[in-house]
């Protein structure tokens, strides 16, 4: 079987699994919903006693047997080989929605090449009378029906939700998003088509770029007005949440 060209390729591949879109939106949402700073206590305990040991076990088994997810469980215990199939199916599901999200990001990247960002104003054909622009304004009247230009760009321009009447009528295919999704899957394919020989080189970008982007977002967010109040509001501990089994 193929081997990693360098130890650094393998290390960066492992690091790449530690940072993804969940760090940007999933973790802050879960942390805020489940007690803010108080949530960090069960999170740290589960990471130390559950997450890290299981992650290390997975790496150790994979490096020792040098097989994929399906045959490795057949070697450990033949009756457990269904776990390998389940892992592959879960990976397939994840690739569906993660690559779709990345396709949206690609569409936003393309749309940003304009003099005025299309999600920064209410003067676009897809905007409604409920669109309320708050950029560069100190006094803004906001009602329960108000929608930001960013929200309307996403729902009415990117997804065109207004063309759908419900789950029974999802509307037509957005060829722009279809093209973006096809491009993303093409990039993923050529990143993996020769196994670790190609993926080991790709991770030099995919594993380091998220940290650079997160650092930029951290600096930018920390310099915005009221940033400290936002952090305090987000991390304010709610100790009562620790009594909930859902947390």
């Amino acid at each position: 079987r193929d081997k990693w060209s360098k130890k650094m390729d393998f290390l960066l591949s492992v690091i790449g699994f530690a940072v993804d879109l969940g760090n940007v939106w999933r973790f802050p949402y879960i942390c805020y919903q489940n007690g803010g700073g108080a949530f960090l206590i069960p999170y740290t305990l589960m990471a130390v006693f559950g997450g890290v040991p299981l992650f290390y076990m997975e790496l150790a088994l994979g490096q020792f047997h040098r097989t994929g997810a399906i045959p490795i469980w057949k070697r450990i215990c033949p009756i457990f080989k269904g776990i390998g199939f389940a892992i592959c199916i879960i990976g397939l599901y994840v690739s569906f929605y993660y690559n779709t999200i990345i396709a949206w990001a690609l569409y936003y990247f393309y749309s940003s090449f304009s003099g005025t960002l299309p999600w920064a104003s209410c003067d676009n054909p897809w905007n409604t009378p409920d669109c309320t622009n708050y950029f560069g304004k100190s006094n803004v009247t906001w009602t329960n029906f108000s929608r930001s230009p960013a929200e309307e760009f996403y729902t009415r321009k990117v997804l065109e939700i207004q063309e759908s009447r419900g789950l029974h009528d999802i509307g037509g295919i957005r060829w722009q998003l279809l093209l973006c999704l096809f491009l993303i899957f093409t990039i993923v394919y050529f990143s993996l088509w020769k196994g670790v020989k190609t993926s080991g080189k790709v991770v030099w970008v995919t594993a380091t770029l998220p940290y650079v982007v997160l650092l930029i977002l951290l600096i930018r967010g920390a310099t915005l007005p009221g940033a400290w109040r936002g952090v305090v509001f987000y991390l304010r501990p709610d100790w009562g949440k620790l009594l909930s089994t859902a947390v």
Side-chain angles (χ1 to χ4, degrees):
R1 295 180 62 85
D2 291 336
K3 297 181 180 180
W4 297 95
S5 301
K6 301 177 182 178
K7 291 183 178 180
M8 186 57 68
D9 293 352
F10 171 70
L11 180 61
L12 287 175
S13 297
V14 175
I15 293 175
F17 279 105
V19 174
D20 60 5
L21 295 172
N23 297 82
V24 180
W25 59 15
R26 181 67 176 170
F27 178 79
Y29 166 75
I30 294 296
C31 184
Y32 170 73
Q33 186 185 43
N34 293 289
F39 173 74
L40 299 179
I41 297 176
Y43 175 82
T44 303
L45 291 175
M46 291 303 298
V48 172
F49 295 105
V52 174
L54 287 172
F55 183 55
Y56 182 77
M57 182 192 74
E58 182 181 350
L59 291 180
L61 291 174
Q63 288 295 297
F64 180 77
H65 291 282
R66 292 185 181 179
T67 56
I70 296 176
I72 192 173
W73 284 102
K74 189 176 180 180
R75 287 190 179 188
I76 296 174
C77 183
I79 200 174
F80 285 161
K81 66 180 180 180
I83 297 177
F85 287 102
I87 291 172
C88 293
I89 293 174
I90 292 172
L92 186 65
Y93 288 158
V94 171
S95 69
F96 284 161
Y97 73 81
Y98 258 33
N99 287 319
T100 301
I101 295 170
I102 297 173
W104 293 344
L106 182 62
Y107 183 82
Y108 268 79
F109 180 70
Y110 165 77
S111 301
S112 66
F113 287 95
S114 59
T116 302
L117 293 176
W119 54 82
S121 67
C122 293
D123 303 324
N124 304 288
W126 59 83
N127 290 127
T128 65
D130 293 327
C131 182
T132 305
N133 191 357
Y134 51 82
F135 289 103
K137 299 180 180 180
S138 56
N139 295 323
V140 178
T141 303
W142 196 269
T143 67
N144 292 333
F145 300 100
S146 298
R147 296 292 181 269
S148 68
E151 180 183 354
E152 290 204 343
F153 174 79
Y154 173 66
T155 58
R156 299 182 59 84
K157 174 61 176 177
V158 179
L159 301 182
E160 289 189 352
I161 289 181
Q162 72 276 10
E163 302 294 334
S164 170
R165 292 176 294 177
L167 292 177
H168 65 282
D169 177 26
I170 60 176
I173 296 176
R174 292 276 287 128
W175 66 266
Q176 297 93 335
L177 295 182
L178 179 63
L179 186 62
C180 291
L181 187 61
F182 176 77
L183 181 59
I184 293 300
F185 268 104
T186 302
I187 294 174
V188 171
Y189 172 77
F190 282 106
S191 299
L192 302 174
W193 74 315
K194 287 189 177 180
V196 295
K197 291 185 180 296
T198 53
S199 63
K201 301 298 182 290
V202 172
V203 293
W204 285 83
V205 177
T206 59
T208 57
L209 187 61
Y211 289 95
V212 176
V213 173
L214 285 176
L215 180 62
I216 294 174
L217 291 175
L218 174 63
I219 297 174
R220 171 60 177 163
T223 55
L224 290 175
W228 177 247
R229 288 189 299 167
V231 173
V232 172
F233 178 78
Y234 154 60
L235 290 178
R236 182 182 292 114
D238 183 2
W239 304 111
K241 289 282 188 177
L242 295 180
L243 300 177
S244 171
T245 55
V247 176

